[in-house]
Amino acid sequence: MSRPGRRGRATIEDVAKLAGVSRQTVSRAVNDMAEITPSTKQRVLDAVRTLGYRPSRFARGLVKQDTTTIGLIVSDLVNPFFPEVAAGVLAAAEHRGWHVVVCDTQYSLERELAALEVLSHQADAIVGYLGNPDDELERHAGGVPLVLLERPSSSSRLGSVRIDIEGGMLAGMRHLVSSGHHRIGMLDGAPYPSQSGRRRHYLEVSRELGLAVDENWIFDCDHSVAGGASAMAKLLGAHPDTTAVFAFNDLVAIGAVRAARDLGREVPADCAVIGFDGLELGELVDPPLTTLHIDKRRIGELAVEQVGLILAEQPAIQWPVVRPRLVIRRSA
C-alpha cells in the first residue's frame, strides 16, 4: 500500500486498514498499552512507519487525558488587529478546555519558520498568519495540522479561514465612485505575496468600474501610521489630482489622513480616505474613519472550529469565509 500523499496526512483509519485492526487497537499500540499482543502491536507500529502516521496529541489525549494545545502565530501584536483575532482564538479554545501558545513573528519569514519548528513539538495544531510557501510551512510543521488565516492554500492538507477581500473592495470602491470619486489611489501594505488580494482586487474593481488607474496609482508601505503617511505623500506627489485613497488597513488609512492634512488637503472635502479593518481606533480619529469592518474575533473562532474538525479527522473540511461590512463615517 502506498503512502496517502495526494490525499493528505495519514489518518488512524489508514493505519488500522493496513494493519488489519480496529482504530482502538491502533490507539492502544501507539499509546503503549498492554491490552494487545506483542505481534499485533508490532504490526501496527510497522504500519505507522510505512504510512508516516503521526498521532496527534489530541488523539493521545483520548487515552491519557492530555490537554489539547493550539499554537497561534500572529504577525504583530502591537497592531490592534491581531490581539482581537487572538482574543477570538483564546475564547473559543477556552470553551473547549484547550490551551493556546502565542508567537509573534514581527513579519519575519525566518521567525515564522522558527516558530513552526518550536510549536510542532508543543502543539496539536497550529493556526496563524503565515507568509512562506505551503510546502515550506508543511515541512517545518512536521506533520502537525495547520490552519492558515486570511490566505488560501494550494494544499488540501491545510485548513484556511479566508476574508472576502473582493467583496469588501467592491463595496468600498462603489461607495467612493457613487460619491463622485474617479481618481482613486491605493496604499498597499501587503507584507507577503500571499496577502496581495487587496492590490489585485483594487485593480480588478477599478477596471470593472471604468476608472483610469493602474499599478502606478498603488504605493507600497508598511503596516503603520507612519508608513501610511509616507506612502500618502508619495501618492499625492505623483498624482496631485487624486480625490480618494483606499488604504490596506486602518492604521495606514489614519496615516494617510495625517499626511493629507500636512499637505494642506482637507479630508474628505479634498481627498476621501477609506480603510480596511474596522479597528475601534478608527472611531476616535478626526474625521472618524470610513472602513471595511472585519469581524476579527470571528476569524479566531472559525480557526478553532477548523482545528477541531482536523483533529477529529473529519473529511471534506470547508474553508469558511468572513465577509467585510462597509462602515460609512466622515472620512469618505
Side-chain angles (χ1 to χ4, degrees), residues 237-272:
H239 301 286
D241 56 341
T242 300
T243 64
V245 172
F246 210 125
F248 178 86
N249 64 16
D250 284 3
L251 292 181
V252 171
I254 292 169
V257 171
R258 175 184 297 177
R261 285 183 164 176
D262 289 345
L263 293 169
R265 300 203 180 197
E266 289 298 318
V267 177
D270 300 321
C271 187

PDB file of all heavy atoms in Angstrom, residues 237-272:
ATOM      1  N   GLY A 237       2.124  63.321  -4.374  1.00  0.00           N
ATOM      2  CA  GLY A 237       3.160  63.958  -5.162  1.00  0.00           C
ATOM      3  C   GLY A 237       3.145  63.491  -6.606  1.00  0.00           C
ATOM      4  O   GLY A 237       3.347  64.284  -7.532  1.00  0.00           O
ATOM      5  N   ALA A 238       2.900  62.198  -6.816  1.00  0.00           N
ATOM      6  CA  ALA A 238       2.870  61.640  -8.168  1.00  0.00           C
ATOM      7  C   ALA A 238       1.553  61.921  -8.871  1.00  0.00           C
ATOM      8  O   ALA A 238       1.521  62.096 -10.104  1.00  0.00           O
ATOM      9  CB  ALA A 238       3.112  60.130  -8.104  1.00  0.00           C
ATOM     10  N   HIS A 239       0.465  61.961  -8.109  1.00  0.00           N
ATOM     11  CA  HIS A 239      -0.869  62.164  -8.693  1.00  0.00           C
ATOM     12  C   HIS A 239      -1.622  63.223  -7.872  1.00  0.00           C
ATOM     13  O   HIS A 239      -2.510  62.895  -7.081  1.00  0.00           O
ATOM     14  CB  HIS A 239      -1.654  60.852  -8.703  1.00  0.00           C
ATOM     15  CG  HIS A 239      -0.995  59.744  -9.468  1.00  0.00           C
ATOM     16  ND1 HIS A 239      -0.954  59.714 -10.841  1.00  0.00           N
ATOM     17  CD2 HIS A 239      -0.340  58.628  -9.037  1.00  0.00           C
ATOM     18  CE1 HIS A 239      -0.310  58.620 -11.241  1.00  0.00           C
ATOM     19  NE2 HIS A 239       0.077  57.955 -10.168  1.00  0.00           N
ATOM     20  N   PRO A 240      -1.288  64.479  -8.057  1.00  0.00           N
ATOM     21  CA  PRO A 240      -1.938  65.531  -7.274  1.00  0.00           C
ATOM     22  C   PRO A 240      -3.441  65.645  -7.517  1.00  0.00           C
ATOM     23  O   PRO A 240      -4.148  66.281  -6.727  1.00  0.00           O
ATOM     24  CB  PRO A 240      -1.206  66.812  -7.714  1.00  0.00           C
ATOM     25  CG  PRO A 240      -0.579  66.468  -9.032  1.00  0.00           C
ATOM     26  CD  PRO A 240      -0.261  65.013  -8.980  1.00  0.00           C
ATOM     27  N   ASP A 241      -3.946  65.019  -8.590  1.00  0.00           N
ATOM     28  CA  ASP A 241      -5.376  65.069  -8.869  1.00  0.00           C
ATOM     29  C   ASP A 241      -6.151  63.958  -8.158  1.00  0.00           C
ATOM     30  O   ASP A 241      -7.356  63.793  -8.381  1.00  0.00           O
ATOM     31  CB  ASP A 241      -5.627  64.996 -10.377  1.00  0.00           C
ATOM     32  CG  ASP A 241      -5.006  63.749 -11.026  1.00  0.00           C
ATOM     33  OD1 ASP A 241      -4.089  63.155 -10.401  1.00  0.00           O
ATOM     34  OD2 ASP A 241      -5.426  63.390 -12.138  1.00  0.00           O
ATOM     35  N   THR A 242      -5.482  63.197  -7.277  1.00  0.00           N
ATOM     36  CA  THR A 242      -6.150  62.136  -6.516  1.00  0.00           C
ATOM     37  C   THR A 242      -7.246  62.741  -5.635  1.00  0.00           C
ATOM     38  O   THR A 242      -7.016  63.717  -4.921  1.00  0.00           O
ATOM     39  CB  THR A 242      -5.134  61.397  -5.613  1.00  0.00           C
ATOM     40  OG1 THR A 242      -4.123  60.819  -6.436  1.00  0.00           O
ATOM     41  CG2 THR A 242      -5.822  60.323  -4.802  1.00  0.00           C
ATOM     42  N   THR A 243      -8.425  62.145  -5.673  1.00  0.00           N
ATOM     43  CA  THR A 243      -9.524  62.644  -4.835  1.00  0.00           C
ATOM     44  C   THR A 243      -9.959  61.647  -3.765  1.00  0.00           C
ATOM     45  O   THR A 243     -10.772  61.983  -2.906  1.00  0.00           O
ATOM     46  CB  THR A 243     -10.757  62.988  -5.696  1.00  0.00           C
ATOM     47  OG1 THR A 243     -11.262  61.792  -6.310  1.00  0.00           O
ATOM     48  CG2 THR A 243     -10.406  64.020  -6.758  1.00  0.00           C
ATOM     49  N   ALA A 244      -9.418  60.432  -3.817  1.00  0.00           N
ATOM     50  CA  ALA A 244      -9.763  59.439  -2.801  1.00  0.00           C
ATOM     51  C   ALA A 244      -8.649  58.395  -2.728  1.00  0.00           C
ATOM     52  O   ALA A 244      -7.936  58.163  -3.703  1.00  0.00           O
ATOM     53  CB  ALA A 244     -11.099  58.763  -3.121  1.00  0.00           C
ATOM     54  N   VAL A 245      -8.534  57.781  -1.551  1.00  0.00           N
ATOM     55  CA  VAL A 245      -7.491  56.782  -1.319  1.00  0.00           C
ATOM     56  C   VAL A 245      -8.088  55.588  -0.585  1.00  0.00           C
ATOM     57  O   VAL A 245      -8.834  55.742   0.390  1.00  0.00           O
ATOM     58  CB  VAL A 245      -6.326  57.381  -0.484  1.00  0.00           C
ATOM     59  CG1 VAL A 245      -5.349  56.293  -0.086  1.00  0.00           C
ATOM     60  CG2 VAL A 245      -5.622  58.466  -1.270  1.00  0.00           C
ATOM     61  N   PHE A 246      -7.745  54.398  -1.076  1.00  0.00           N
ATOM     62  CA  PHE A 246      -8.126  53.151  -0.412  1.00  0.00           C
ATOM     63  C   PHE A 246      -6.871  52.606   0.257  1.00  0.00           C
ATOM     64  O   PHE A 246      -5.879  52.318  -0.397  1.00  0.00           O
ATOM     65  CB  PHE A 246      -8.645  52.146  -1.446  1.00  0.00           C
ATOM     66  CG  PHE A 246      -9.670  51.185  -0.888  1.00  0.00           C
ATOM     67  CD1 PHE A 246     -10.909  51.065  -1.490  1.00  0.00           C
ATOM     68  CD2 PHE A 246      -9.405  50.420   0.226  1.00  0.00           C
ATOM     69  CE1 PHE A 246     -11.867  50.192  -1.001  1.00  0.00           C
ATOM     70  CE2 PHE A 246     -10.346  49.542   0.735  1.00  0.00           C
ATOM     71  CZ  PHE A 246     -11.590  49.437   0.120  1.00  0.00           C
ATOM     72  N   ALA A 247      -6.893  52.474   1.572  1.00  0.00           N
ATOM     73  CA  ALA A 247      -5.727  52.022   2.325  1.00  0.00           C
ATOM     74  C   ALA A 247      -5.818  50.539   2.654  1.00  0.00           C
ATOM     75  O   ALA A 247      -6.917  49.993   2.836  1.00  0.00           O
ATOM     76  CB  ALA A 247      -5.583  52.824   3.619  1.00  0.00           C
ATOM     77  N   PHE A 248      -4.656  49.889   2.736  1.00  0.00           N
ATOM     78  CA  PHE A 248      -4.600  48.450   3.017  1.00  0.00           C
ATOM     79  C   PHE A 248      -5.281  48.114   4.341  1.00  0.00           C
ATOM     80  O   PHE A 248      -5.985  47.115   4.449  1.00  0.00           O
ATOM     81  CB  PHE A 248      -3.144  47.990   3.051  1.00  0.00           C
ATOM     82  CG  PHE A 248      -2.976  46.531   3.369  1.00  0.00           C
ATOM     83  CD1 PHE A 248      -3.042  45.575   2.359  1.00  0.00           C
ATOM     84  CD2 PHE A 248      -2.757  46.111   4.667  1.00  0.00           C
ATOM     85  CE1 PHE A 248      -2.897  44.223   2.655  1.00  0.00           C
ATOM     86  CE2 PHE A 248      -2.610  44.751   4.967  1.00  0.00           C
ATOM     87  CZ  PHE A 248      -2.672  43.812   3.955  1.00  0.00           C
ATOM     88  N   ASN A 249      -5.039  48.937   5.365  1.00  0.00           N
ATOM     89  CA  ASN A 249      -5.707  48.713   6.646  1.00  0.00           C
ATOM     90  C   ASN A 249      -5.967  50.051   7.324  1.00  0.00           C
ATOM     91  O   ASN A 249      -5.648  51.116   6.788  1.00  0.00           O
ATOM     92  CB  ASN A 249      -4.900  47.762   7.538  1.00  0.00           C
ATOM     93  CG  ASN A 249      -3.550  48.319   7.944  1.00  0.00           C
ATOM     94  OD1 ASN A 249      -3.291  49.512   7.837  1.00  0.00           O
ATOM     95  ND2 ASN A 249      -2.674  47.455   8.418  1.00  0.00           N
ATOM     96  N   ASP A 250      -6.538  50.010   8.513  1.00  0.00           N
ATOM     97  CA  ASP A 250      -6.943  51.243   9.177  1.00  0.00           C
ATOM     98  C   ASP A 250      -5.754  52.069   9.660  1.00  0.00           C
ATOM     99  O   ASP A 250      -5.807  53.309   9.652  1.00  0.00           O
ATOM    100  CB  ASP A 250      -7.863  50.922  10.352  1.00  0.00           C
ATOM    101  CG  ASP A 250      -9.274  50.552   9.908  1.00  0.00           C
ATOM    102  OD1 ASP A 250      -9.513  50.494   8.682  1.00  0.00           O
ATOM    103  OD2 ASP A 250     -10.128  50.323  10.779  1.00  0.00           O
ATOM    104  N   LEU A 251      -4.683  51.419  10.115  1.00  0.00           N
ATOM    105  CA  LEU A 251      -3.514  52.177  10.556  1.00  0.00           C
ATOM    106  C   LEU A 251      -2.927  52.970   9.396  1.00  0.00           C
ATOM    107  O   LEU A 251      -2.565  54.151   9.543  1.00  0.00           O
ATOM    108  CB  LEU A 251      -2.460  51.236  11.146  1.00  0.00           C
ATOM    109  CG  LEU A 251      -2.812  50.544  12.460  1.00  0.00           C
ATOM    110  CD1 LEU A 251      -1.651  49.679  12.924  1.00  0.00           C
ATOM    111  CD2 LEU A 251      -3.174  51.566  13.546  1.00  0.00           C
ATOM    112  N   VAL A 252      -2.821  52.334   8.244  1.00  0.00           N
ATOM    113  CA  VAL A 252      -2.328  53.027   7.047  1.00  0.00           C
ATOM    114  C   VAL A 252      -3.272  54.167   6.684  1.00  0.00           C
ATOM    115  O   VAL A 252      -2.825  55.270   6.309  1.00  0.00           O
ATOM    116  CB  VAL A 252      -2.176  52.032   5.880  1.00  0.00           C
ATOM    117  CG1 VAL A 252      -1.878  52.754   4.573  1.00  0.00           C
ATOM    118  CG2 VAL A 252      -1.069  51.022   6.186  1.00  0.00           C
ATOM    119  N   ALA A 253      -4.565  53.945   6.796  1.00  0.00           N
ATOM    120  CA  ALA A 253      -5.549  54.982   6.467  1.00  0.00           C
ATOM    121  C   ALA A 253      -5.412  56.183   7.399  1.00  0.00           C
ATOM    122  O   ALA A 253      -5.507  57.342   6.956  1.00  0.00           O
ATOM    123  CB  ALA A 253      -6.957  54.411   6.546  1.00  0.00           C
ATOM    124  N   ILE A 254      -5.188  55.940   8.674  1.00  0.00           N
ATOM    125  CA  ILE A 254      -5.013  57.043   9.627  1.00  0.00           C
ATOM    126  C   ILE A 254      -3.770  57.849   9.269  1.00  0.00           C
ATOM    127  O   ILE A 254      -3.766  59.084   9.336  1.00  0.00           O
ATOM    128  CB  ILE A 254      -4.941  56.492  11.064  1.00  0.00           C
ATOM    129  CG1 ILE A 254      -6.315  55.930  11.468  1.00  0.00           C
ATOM    130  CG2 ILE A 254      -4.492  57.572  12.042  1.00  0.00           C
ATOM    131  CD1 ILE A 254      -6.301  55.137  12.758  1.00  0.00           C
ATOM    132  N   GLY A 255      -2.701  57.163   8.865  1.00  0.00           N
ATOM    133  CA  GLY A 255      -1.508  57.871   8.407  1.00  0.00           C
ATOM    134  C   GLY A 255      -1.777  58.692   7.166  1.00  0.00           C
ATOM    135  O   GLY A 255      -1.248  59.804   7.007  1.00  0.00           O
ATOM    136  N   ALA A 256      -2.611  58.152   6.274  1.00  0.00           N
ATOM    137  CA  ALA A 256      -2.965  58.894   5.047  1.00  0.00           C
ATOM    138  C   ALA A 256      -3.717  60.170   5.374  1.00  0.00           C
ATOM    139  O   ALA A 256      -3.476  61.227   4.767  1.00  0.00           O
ATOM    140  CB  ALA A 256      -3.799  57.997   4.133  1.00  0.00           C
ATOM    141  N   VAL A 257      -4.628  60.120   6.337  1.00  0.00           N
ATOM    142  CA  VAL A 257      -5.365  61.314   6.754  1.00  0.00           C
ATOM    143  C   VAL A 257      -4.392  62.365   7.290  1.00  0.00           C
ATOM    144  O   VAL A 257      -4.480  63.558   6.962  1.00  0.00           O
ATOM    145  CB  VAL A 257      -6.419  60.953   7.815  1.00  0.00           C
ATOM    146  CG1 VAL A 257      -7.031  62.223   8.408  1.00  0.00           C
ATOM    147  CG2 VAL A 257      -7.510  60.075   7.213  1.00  0.00           C
ATOM    148  N   ARG A 258      -3.446  61.913   8.110  1.00  0.00           N
ATOM    149  CA  ARG A 258      -2.466  62.836   8.694  1.00  0.00           C
ATOM    150  C   ARG A 258      -1.644  63.507   7.597  1.00  0.00           C
ATOM    151  O   ARG A 258      -1.443  64.728   7.619  1.00  0.00           O
ATOM    152  CB  ARG A 258      -1.545  62.083   9.658  1.00  0.00           C
ATOM    153  CG  ARG A 258      -0.422  62.928  10.222  1.00  0.00           C
ATOM    154  CD  ARG A 258       0.497  62.103  11.093  1.00  0.00           C
ATOM    155  NE  ARG A 258      -0.193  61.568  12.256  1.00  0.00           N
ATOM    156  CZ  ARG A 258       0.389  60.755  13.142  1.00  0.00           C
ATOM    157  NH1 ARG A 258       1.650  60.378  12.972  1.00  0.00           N
ATOM    158  NH2 ARG A 258      -0.280  60.326  14.189  1.00  0.00           N
ATOM    159  N   ALA A 259      -1.166  62.717   6.627  1.00  0.00           N
ATOM    160  CA  ALA A 259      -0.335  63.281   5.554  1.00  0.00           C
ATOM    161  C   ALA A 259      -1.128  64.251   4.694  1.00  0.00           C
ATOM    162  O   ALA A 259      -0.609  65.303   4.283  1.00  0.00           O
ATOM    163  CB  ALA A 259       0.230  62.150   4.701  1.00  0.00           C
ATOM    164  N   ALA A 260      -2.377  63.903   4.403  1.00  0.00           N
ATOM    165  CA  ALA A 260      -3.206  64.795   3.577  1.00  0.00           C
ATOM    166  C   ALA A 260      -3.337  66.159   4.245  1.00  0.00           C
ATOM    167  O   ALA A 260      -3.200  67.205   3.596  1.00  0.00           O
ATOM    168  CB  ALA A 260      -4.577  64.165   3.354  1.00  0.00           C
ATOM    169  N   ARG A 261      -3.583  66.159   5.541  1.00  0.00           N
ATOM    170  CA  ARG A 261      -3.725  67.425   6.257  1.00  0.00           C
ATOM    171  C   ARG A 261      -2.406  68.194   6.282  1.00  0.00           C
ATOM    172  O   ARG A 261      -2.386  69.419   6.124  1.00  0.00           O
ATOM    173  CB  ARG A 261      -4.213  67.150   7.673  1.00  0.00           C
ATOM    174  CG  ARG A 261      -5.685  66.785   7.724  1.00  0.00           C
ATOM    175  CD  ARG A 261      -6.147  66.601   9.137  1.00  0.00           C
ATOM    176  NE  ARG A 261      -7.595  66.624   9.225  1.00  0.00           N
ATOM    177  CZ  ARG A 261      -8.266  66.409  10.358  1.00  0.00           C
ATOM    178  NH1 ARG A 261      -7.608  66.157  11.468  1.00  0.00           N
ATOM    179  NH2 ARG A 261      -9.579  66.441  10.355  1.00  0.00           N
ATOM    180  N   ASP A 262      -1.297  67.485   6.484  1.00  0.00           N
ATOM    181  CA  ASP A 262       0.008  68.145   6.490  1.00  0.00           C
ATOM    182  C   ASP A 262       0.302  68.813   5.150  1.00  0.00           C
ATOM    183  O   ASP A 262       1.045  69.803   5.085  1.00  0.00           O
ATOM    184  CB  ASP A 262       1.118  67.142   6.816  1.00  0.00           C
ATOM    185  CG  ASP A 262       1.092  66.697   8.272  1.00  0.00           C
ATOM    186  OD1 ASP A 262       0.413  67.365   9.087  1.00  0.00           O
ATOM    187  OD2 ASP A 262       1.741  65.679   8.597  1.00  0.00           O
ATOM    188  N   LEU A 263      -0.272  68.252   4.080  1.00  0.00           N
ATOM    189  CA  LEU A 263      -0.065  68.797   2.740  1.00  0.00           C
ATOM    190  C   LEU A 263      -1.146  69.810   2.350  1.00  0.00           C
ATOM    191  O   LEU A 263      -1.250  70.216   1.193  1.00  0.00           O
ATOM    192  CB  LEU A 263      -0.026  67.657   1.713  1.00  0.00           C
ATOM    193  CG  LEU A 263       1.192  66.728   1.837  1.00  0.00           C
ATOM    194  CD1 LEU A 263       1.016  65.481   0.974  1.00  0.00           C
ATOM    195  CD2 LEU A 263       2.471  67.468   1.460  1.00  0.00           C
ATOM    196  N   GLY A 264      -1.960  70.195   3.319  1.00  0.00           N
ATOM    197  CA  GLY A 264      -2.953  71.236   3.078  1.00  0.00           C
ATOM    198  C   GLY A 264      -4.243  70.756   2.466  1.00  0.00           C
ATOM    199  O   GLY A 264      -5.008  71.577   1.943  1.00  0.00           O
ATOM    200  N   ARG A 265      -4.519  69.437   2.552  1.00  0.00           N
ATOM    201  CA  ARG A 265      -5.763  68.908   1.981  1.00  0.00           C
ATOM    202  C   ARG A 265      -6.723  68.513   3.105  1.00  0.00           C
ATOM    203  O   ARG A 265      -6.324  67.856   4.061  1.00  0.00           O
ATOM    204  CB  ARG A 265      -5.478  67.684   1.111  1.00  0.00           C
ATOM    205  CG  ARG A 265      -4.546  67.995  -0.062  1.00  0.00           C
ATOM    206  CD  ARG A 265      -4.742  66.983  -1.150  1.00  0.00           C
ATOM    207  NE  ARG A 265      -3.884  67.238  -2.290  1.00  0.00           N
ATOM    208  CZ  ARG A 265      -4.080  66.714  -3.486  1.00  0.00           C
ATOM    209  NH1 ARG A 265      -5.122  65.917  -3.689  1.00  0.00           N
ATOM    210  NH2 ARG A 265      -3.254  66.972  -4.480  1.00  0.00           N
ATOM    211  N   GLU A 266      -7.958  68.915   2.926  1.00  0.00           N
ATOM    212  CA  GLU A 266      -8.974  68.542   3.901  1.00  0.00           C
ATOM    213  C   GLU A 266      -9.551  67.164   3.565  1.00  0.00           C
ATOM    214  O   GLU A 266      -9.732  66.831   2.388  1.00  0.00           O
ATOM    215  CB  GLU A 266     -10.098  69.590   3.924  1.00  0.00           C
ATOM    216  CG  GLU A 266      -9.687  70.918   4.537  1.00  0.00           C
ATOM    217  CD  GLU A 266      -9.285  70.783   5.988  1.00  0.00           C
ATOM    218  OE1 GLU A 266      -9.982  70.049   6.731  1.00  0.00           O
ATOM    219  OE2 GLU A 266      -8.269  71.399   6.387  1.00  0.00           O
ATOM    220  N   VAL A 267      -9.807  66.375   4.607  1.00  0.00           N
ATOM    221  CA  VAL A 267     -10.430  65.059   4.452  1.00  0.00           C
ATOM    222  C   VAL A 267     -11.823  65.133   5.056  1.00  0.00           C
ATOM    223  O   VAL A 267     -11.985  65.508   6.228  1.00  0.00           O
ATOM    224  CB  VAL A 267      -9.591  63.976   5.169  1.00  0.00           C
ATOM    225  CG1 VAL A 267     -10.273  62.612   5.073  1.00  0.00           C
ATOM    226  CG2 VAL A 267      -8.174  63.915   4.595  1.00  0.00           C
ATOM    227  N   PRO A 268     -12.875  64.860   4.258  1.00  0.00           N
ATOM    228  CA  PRO A 268     -12.875  64.286   2.914  1.00  0.00           C
ATOM    229  C   PRO A 268     -13.073  65.304   1.780  1.00  0.00           C
ATOM    230  O   PRO A 268     -13.166  64.900   0.627  1.00  0.00           O
ATOM    231  CB  PRO A 268     -14.081  63.360   2.956  1.00  0.00           C
ATOM    232  CG  PRO A 268     -15.064  64.119   3.804  1.00  0.00           C
ATOM    233  CD  PRO A 268     -14.241  64.826   4.854  1.00  0.00           C
ATOM    234  N   ALA A 269     -13.146  66.605   2.079  1.00  0.00           N
ATOM    235  CA  ALA A 269     -13.502  67.589   1.054  1.00  0.00           C
ATOM    236  C   ALA A 269     -12.552  67.559  -0.140  1.00  0.00           C
ATOM    237  O   ALA A 269     -12.984  67.586  -1.299  1.00  0.00           O
ATOM    238  CB  ALA A 269     -13.517  68.991   1.670  1.00  0.00           C
ATOM    239  N   ASP A 270     -11.222  67.473   0.146  1.00  0.00           N
ATOM    240  CA  ASP A 270     -10.232  67.440  -0.937  1.00  0.00           C
ATOM    241  C   ASP A 270      -9.793  66.029  -1.292  1.00  0.00           C
ATOM    242  O   ASP A 270      -9.413  65.764  -2.434  1.00  0.00           O
ATOM    243  CB  ASP A 270      -9.005  68.270  -0.549  1.00  0.00           C
ATOM    244  CG  ASP A 270      -9.353  69.724  -0.280  1.00  0.00           C
ATOM    245  OD1 ASP A 270     -10.205  70.267  -1.019  1.00  0.00           O
ATOM    246  OD2 ASP A 270      -8.791  70.302   0.661  1.00  0.00           O
ATOM    247  N   CYS A 271      -9.819  65.149  -0.329  1.00  0.00           N
ATOM    248  CA  CYS A 271      -9.392  63.761  -0.571  1.00  0.00           C
ATOM    249  C   CYS A 271     -10.032  62.841   0.465  1.00  0.00           C
ATOM    250  O   CYS A 271      -9.789  62.982   1.670  1.00  0.00           O
ATOM    251  CB  CYS A 271      -7.863  63.646  -0.502  1.00  0.00           C
ATOM    252  SG  CYS A 271      -7.241  62.012  -0.975  1.00  0.00           S
ATOM    253  N   ALA A 272     -10.870  61.936   0.012  1.00  0.00           N
ATOM    254  CA  ALA A 272     -11.514  60.967   0.906  1.00  0.00           C
ATOM    255  C   ALA A 272     -10.555  59.820   1.206  1.00  0.00           C
ATOM    256  O   ALA A 272      -9.679  59.501   0.391  1.00  0.00           O
ATOM    257  CB  ALA A 272     -12.785  60.432   0.260  1.00  0.00           C
TER     258      ALA A 272
END
